[in-house]
Amino acid sequence: MAQLALLDPDEPGPVTLDNEAGSSVFFLTCDHAGRAFPRRLGRLGLPESETLRHIAWDIGIAAVGRRLSRLLDAAVILQTYSRLVIDCNRDPNVLSSIPEISETTEIPGNRGLGEDARAARVEAIFRPYHNAIAAALDRRAAEARESALVALHSFTPVFKGVSRPWQVAVLFNRDRRLAHSLAELLRAEGELFVGENEPYAVSDLTDYTVPVHGEQRGLPHVEIEIRQDLIADSAGQEEWAERLARLLPTAYAQLLGQ
Ligand SMILES: [Zn+2]
């Protein structure tokens, strides 16, 4: 039997790709940009208040990504749906890609999902998003354009009651070069407490975008995490976009010079 599509034709698609022809080497991704829910899923049984919290999306990062795209003249790709529907930075074969619990919140609509229900989310959201990234990177390669992957995220200042002191973190897995250069430049700003693989690191199990689109293609890459309270309003979003637009090209130049 044909599987019922998760998204109706009048619902937003999972992918927004802006400024693809931009001149920058940087290719920006925002896996957790949006907090939409497919109509068929309601809000997964959650009150609206939970869908505004960090468990549903990366607060502030879509605006930072769009501003950074303009400042660098870089392509940016953003994912529309809440990570509670499916986490687009996690291998869909990992059970927590559709979490039954996030931080301390139980997600009723994710409890005991069958294979068909999981597959419908993968096919409607995860697959088109990552296919769009792959296709865009393929087009750049075909045009002999260089690409450096910048995966943008934001993190909650307090997780399970524990405060996080970092304002910003750079994360990496097997290749720390671009991340480490950027971390040093961020520290040189003088006022920032910069995490390197803190509060968490990139791994094949907990991440997808950097391992698959960065590492497997051999592209320079960095995952950047900004603390959410710093980019909750437009002044903070502008400040962080401006800072990254200033520092990323220097970090990349350092990498080329190595
Ligand atoms: Zn994220």
Side-chain angles (χ1 to χ4, degrees), residues 64-173:
V64 172
R66 290 181 192 280
R67 284 168 202 239
L68 184 57
S69 160
R70 281 197 291 274
L71 290 169
L72 289 170
D73 192 25
V76 62
I77 192 161
L78 308 107
Q79 201 285 112
T80 311
Y81 287 90
S82 171
R83 69 158 150 238
L84 297 177
V85 178
I86 186 164
D87 187 337
C88 279
N89 190 31
R90 198 153 292 201
D91 189 314
N93 294 315
V94 176
L95 208 58
S96 59
S97 85
I98 300 176
E100 295 196 9
I101 186 161
S102 180
E103 195 175 6
T104 58
T105 300
E106 288 187 35
I107 320 297
N110 289 349
R111 211 177 292 141
L113 284 189
E115 234 169 78
D116 281 2
R118 295 184 74 87
R121 298 192 195 183
V122 173
E123 293 311 316
I125 296 170
F126 181 92
R127 199 70 66 203
Y129 175 67
H130 285 289
N131 286 350
I133 295 175
L137 292 173
D138 284 347
R139 286 192 290 272
R140 295 170 71 98
E143 294 164 10
R145 295 180 58 190
E146 286 175 34
S147 298
L149 178 71
V150 178
L152 296 167
H153 293 265
S154 69
F155 65 96
T156 179
V158 180
F159 186 76
K160 292 184 176 173
V162 178
S163 289
R164 291 163 158 178
W166 310 273
Q167 284 100 350
V168 61
V170 300
L171 316 184
F172 50 89
N173 190 14

Side-chain angles (χ1 to χ4, degrees), residues 31-32 57-58 61 83 87 89 152-154 200 223 225:
D31 303 337
H32 303 140
W57 62 321
D58 279 2
I61 207 62
R83 69 158 150 238
D87 187 337
N89 190 31
L152 296 167
H153 293 265
S154 69
Y200 24 73
E223 185 164 324
E225 294 265 3

Side-chain angles (χ1 to χ4, degrees), residues 7-73:
L7 296 173
D8 287 326
D10 66 325
E11 291 187 275
V15 184
T16 303
L17 173 57
D18 280 346
N19 196 23
E20 187 182 1
S23 60
S24 174
V25 66
F26 295 109
F27 187 89
L28 314 177
T29 61
C30 296
D31 303 337
H32 303 140
R35 55 177 197 86
F37 289 83
R39 188 184 297 135
R40 279 178 213 285
L41 302 182
R43 283 192 305 253
L44 297 172
L46 293 168
E48 189 179 16
S49 58
E50 291 287 352
T51 71
L52 302 172
R53 296 180 59 227
H54 73 91
I55 60 169
W57 62 321
D58 279 2
I59 294 166
I61 207 62
V64 172
R66 290 181 192 280
R67 284 168 202 239
L68 184 57
S69 160
R70 281 197 291 274
L71 290 169
L72 289 170
D73 192 25

